[in-house]
Amino acid sequence: FVLSQPPSASVALGQTVTLSCGGRNFGNENVHWYQHRPGQAPVLVIYDDDDRPSGTPIRFSGSKTGNTATLVIGSAEAGDEADYFCQVWDSRLDLPVFGGGTKLTVL
Amino acid sequence: QVHLEEAGPGLVRPSETLSLTCDVSGASVSIYFWGWVRRPTGRGLEWIGRLYNSTTSLNYNPSLKDRVELSMNTIQNQFSLRLSSVTDADAGVYYCVRVWPPYFYALDVWGQGTTVIVSS
């Protein structure tokens, strides 16, 4: 994968977790985040580094500095348990590239 | 509200061709960017390719481009994927998506996905 993500993370119910995405100098690239629950379609939760589509709870926030993008989930709920993927659009290849995904467990 | 729904056989024999369609409702297939993503069993998301305005803008994942063909049917408001010479590595869940330029080419709408098994 072009983007690197830790394979797993865990968070206690009600606590905050930070998921990271790196592996390249993002520069002007826009980082997007997807939540993929088992058996469901992936859902876009953050686009353009830190914007939330309508429907994404305010508990989800994104940021980016230099070589690292982060997704922060506050007040974690059981329903947040999922795989989370980061993605950028590679302008040279003209296609999206994904991270390998982080499996989030809510304890 | 845009809705996507994949359809196609769930079982494909090795070396044969996988064919899937994506029915689009709530938007015209001829005026947006559309694509296919898959999640191979036990792995992460993988881009397959995208098309826009039928054949004027096609782009494929370089690792799959020799086996992939995308097409569009504006009358039935759907687009399609054909993947030839399938192997076990092609098994997984296939999703059709909308690529949304206002969101800096994020994939803002996803179909529910269709599971593909490769077996003789």
Side-chain angles (χ1 to χ4, degrees), chain A residues 1 30 32 34 36 39-44 47-48 53-54 83 85 87 89 93-96 98-100, chain B residues 37 39 43-47 50 57 59-62 95 99 102-108 110-113:
Chain A
F1 296 98
N30 310 98
H32 315 305
Y34 302 89
H36 194 189
Q40 299 187 22
V43 174
L44 176 69
Y47 70 95
D48 187 22
S54 60
D83 295 329
F85 294 90
Q87 176 246 311
W89 192 274
L93 297 174
D94 194 21
L95 51 76
F98 294 98
Chain B
V37 176
R39 187 162 187 188
R43 302 191 61 180
L45 297 174
E46 181 180 25
W47 178 250
R50 66 130 168 89
S57 179
N59 192 292
Y60 300 126
N61 185 326
Y95 300 94
V99 183
Y103 282 6
F104 300 91
Y105 297 90
L107 313 179
D108 73 322
W110 295 66
Q112 271 300 111

Side-chain angles (χ1 to χ4, degrees), chain A residues 70-106:
Chain A
T70 59
L71 173 68
V72 177
I73 305 173
S75 303
E77 301 176 357
D80 298 334
E81 193 160 282
D83 295 329
Y84 290 84
F85 294 90
C86 58
Q87 176 246 311
V88 298
W89 192 274
D90 187 306
S91 58
R92 183 180 64 85
L93 297 174
D94 194 21
L95 51 76
V97 292
F98 294 98
T102 296
K103 183 177 184 63
L104 178 65
T105 300
V106 180

Side-chain angles (χ1 to χ4, degrees), chain B residues 5-25:
Chain B
E5 186 166 346
E6 305 87 351
L11 178 64
V12 185
R13 291 189 172 86
S15 80
E16 295 193 344
T17 296
L18 166 68
S19 294
L20 299 175
T21 60
C22 181
D23 288 325
V24 179
S25 57

Side-chain angles (χ1 to χ4, degrees), chain A residues 1-90:
Chain A
F1 296 98
V2 177
L3 303 177
S4 58
Q5 297 182 252
S8 64
S10 63
V11 61
L13 207 60
Q15 298 303 303
T16 296
V17 63
T18 298
L19 307 181
S20 66
C21 171
R24 70 196 258 158
N25 185 344
F26 290 114
N28 292 325
E29 292 179 323
N30 310 98
V31 181
H32 315 305
W33 291 88
Y34 302 89
Q35 176 192 67
H36 194 189
R37 295 188 179 110
Q40 299 187 22
V43 174
L44 176 69
V45 292
I46 294 287
Y47 70 95
D48 187 22
D49 304 337
D50 56 10
D51 283 327
R52 281 183 296 273
S54 60
T56 299
I58 198 170
R59 305 184 293 108
F60 288 75
S61 62
S63 64
K64 184 188 75 181
T65 56
N67 294 352
T68 302
T70 59
L71 173 68
V72 177
I73 305 173
S75 303
E77 301 176 357
D80 298 334
E81 193 160 282
D83 295 329
Y84 290 84
F85 294 90
C86 58
Q87 176 246 311
V88 298
W89 192 274
D90 187 306

Side-chain angles (χ1 to χ4, degrees), chain B residues 35-58:
Chain B
W36 291 91
V37 176
R38 69 181 183 179
R39 187 162 187 188
T41 305
R43 302 191 61 180
L45 297 174
E46 181 180 25
W47 178 250
I48 298 172
R50 66 130 168 89
L51 73 170
Y52 167 72
N53 193 13
S54 190
T55 60
T56 60
S57 179
L58 285 165

